[in-house]
Amino acid sequence: MKKLLMLSVALTMSASATLAQETTLNIYNWSDYIAEDTLEKFTAETGIKVVYDVYDSNEVLEAKMLTGSSGYDIVVPTSDFLQRQIGAGVYQPLDKSLLPNLANMDVDLMEGAANFDPGNEHAVIYMWGTTGIGYNVGMVAERLGEDYEVNSWDLVFDPEIVAKLADCGVSMLDAPSEMIPAAMNYLGLDPRSTDAADFEAGAAHLEKVRDSVRYFHSSQYINDLANGDTCVAVGWSGDVFQAMARAEEAENGVEIGYVIPSEGALQWFDMMAIPVDAPNPEAAHKFINFIMDAQITADITNYVWYANANTASMPLVDEEITSDPGIFPTAEAKERLWGATVYDARTDRTITRLWTRVKTGQ
Ligand code: SPD
């Protein structure tokens, strides 16, 4: 009898291990946005295999989500895109009973995210950051003078200044809903405006500096800044810090700075969400809960240099990161940050059309 019981326990165990191993979780996340060992740890803990794809643009993710049947279980849209996609019925409500680690999350930041997803019904903050300017300290000083203080959008939006930097390589994000409002803000207009005339003005200003921009791309600048192949990039906070870290590791003499310009900048939240047609929502909930573990989130922040919204993780995050105002902005800098506007389809089309004109001149 005892032997029979042991056999049945052994069979049950191996059956559930096989079942777990057969389960695959399909994740679609931003590039350069996870620690080296996160997925390995998740598989070791749950037995769930992960297939992990990356993108570097909300527009690319949105196109896939609106088409449907993406096959993904977890995706990570930015909060403004998330809101529009929730409206289109793209995401399923979270089952919070499967997410006990929600207790680790920062209440204020989750409340901020709830502006885009009332009650945080569909998504949890993955990481957050700002869109500012990364620059090569030496190359910029060579061209603008040792005393030039980099603290303004002038660096990329003043046609005379950016022209002096064109030879060492200036890049901008290929992100129309960020670049055009940043230019509007520089002109003294409300970056959250949805007035077509304001978008026209922002785009027209970008056209004035277009000839000084080497490329528009949203991930290539990390390596280019790190290697000294470009000298200025409008970029996302953590990505610029990753460039700094890569340069330091390479010991190539490249020194990189990141600034949240004095005129203000966009603050954004990237959100983990489960598509309505996800093949494996149960495993997706397990993954979201796993990411909200204090140590796992701290490991990610320590690797990708992005701020997280997990209060319990903070004591485990390197002090070099928690004390850096480029990653966790000061209260004074926070006053100058603006949140993204959710655009309706018509406004979105206007922005896309203007962006083509900025990039191609047509
Ligand atoms: N390499 C990770 C980049 C994450 C950027 N998130 C997008 C923010 C859009 N406002």
Side-chain angles (χ1 to χ4, degrees):
M1 184 65 187
K2 200 170 160 199
K3 259 192 188 162
L4 247 183
L5 187 68
M6 278 169 64
L7 181 67
S8 120
V9 169
L11 277 177
T12 314
M13 278 175 60
S14 84
S16 60
T18 315
L19 202 72
Q21 284 197 346
E22 278 167 6
T23 307
T24 300
L25 181 71
N26 292 289
I27 302 177
Y28 196 35
N29 193 2
W30 293 86
S31 49
D32 301 294
Y33 218 23
I34 196 155
E36 279 177 312
D37 58 358
T38 311
L39 301 178
E40 224 172 88
K41 282 186 173 163
F42 176 70
T43 302
E45 189 174 305
T46 61
I48 298 169
K49 204 179 111 198
V50 177
V51 175
Y52 191 80
D53 294 334
V54 298
Y55 53 90
D56 66 3
S57 141
N58 268 308
E59 286 78 6
V60 169
L61 169 64
E62 182 158 275
K64 275 204 174 42
M65 288 301 102
L66 295 181
T67 305
S69 307
S70 66
Y72 291 115
D73 297 296
I74 298 268
V75 295
V76 191
T78 305
S79 45
D80 44 324
F81 283 77
L82 171 85
Q83 178 171 335
R84 192 162 61 199
Q85 291 157 19
I86 290 173
V90 164
Y91 299 114
Q92 54 182 277
L94 297 172
D95 180 346
K96 293 190 184 172
S97 71
L98 301 175
L99 303 174
N101 285 339
L102 270 173
N104 290 342
M105 300 303 283
D106 181 301
V107 175
D108 291 338
L109 290 170
M110 285 295 278
E111 240 174 65
N115 288 324
F116 300 90
D117 171 27
N120 304 115
E121 288 299 315
H122 298 84
V124 169
I125 301 174
Y126 179 71
M127 296 282 145
W128 64 272
T130 53
T131 301
I133 305 174
Y135 62 100
N136 181 309
V137 176
M139 287 179 177
V140 169
E142 257 170 49
R143 285 155 183 83
L144 301 182
E146 292 292 336
D147 294 336
Y148 185 89
E149 200 190 337
V150 179
N151 65 0
S152 158
W153 282 108
D154 281 344
L155 200 69
V156 290
F157 287 151
D158 179 321
E160 275 181 30
I161 293 178
V162 70
K164 293 187 183 152
L165 301 165
D167 74 298
C168 60
V170 175
S171 73
M172 288 186 181
L173 291 167
D174 190 3
S177 62
E178 298 195 42
M179 292 307 309
I180 296 176
M184 283 153 55
N185 179 64
Y186 183 68
L187 296 175
L189 301 168
D190 179 359
R192 297 177 47 82
S193 163
T194 52
D195 188 332
D198 292 346
F199 292 126
E200 285 283 350
H205 188 77
L206 282 163
E207 285 179 273
K208 287 191 190 151
V209 295
R210 167 74 190 90
D211 285 349
S212 301
V213 177
R214 188 175 292 173
Y215 63 75
F216 294 88
H217 196 279
S218 299
S219 52
Q220 189 186 331
Y221 65 94
I222 307 180
N223 273 336
D224 283 351
L225 274 181
N227 297 333
D229 292 334
T230 53
C231 60
V232 174
V234 176
W236 294 313
S237 45
D239 287 3
V240 174
F241 281 88
Q242 285 179 52
M244 266 178 224
R246 286 181 203 181
E248 252 173 56
E249 206 176 298
E251 294 182 8
N252 60 5
V254 169
E255 190 192 338
I256 292 165
Y258 175 75
V259 67
I260 298 175
S262 56
E263 301 90 342
L266 173 71
Q267 177 186 23
W268 45 261
F269 300 98
D270 286 336
M271 312 293 303
M272 291 183 280
I274 307 176
V276 73
D277 55 2
N280 201 339
E282 199 186 321
H285 279 88
K286 281 196 177 134
F287 185 78
I288 294 177
N289 197 53
F290 173 80
I291 292 292
M292 289 191 293
D293 173 83
Q295 185 65 59
I296 296 298
T297 286
D299 290 348
I300 298 174
T301 289
N302 287 336
Y303 192 75
V304 302
W305 302 78
Y306 275 101
N308 68 61
N310 188 309
T311 309
S313 80
M314 285 306 151
L316 307 168
V317 175
D318 297 340
E319 216 223 304
E320 187 188 3
I321 292 180
T322 49
S323 64
D324 196 310
I327 303 173
F328 287 95
T330 59
E332 188 259 316
K334 273 189 186 158
E335 308 229 318
R336 292 178 279 117
L337 299 179
W338 68 82
T341 311
V342 184
Y343 300 126
D344 59 21
R346 183 151 168 244
T347 308
D348 200 44
R349 279 197 296 278
T350 305
I351 293 175
T352 307
R353 176 178 53 78
L354 290 170
W355 190 239
T356 306
R357 202 172 79 194
V358 169
K359 287 203 297 181
T360 65
Q362 284 159 12

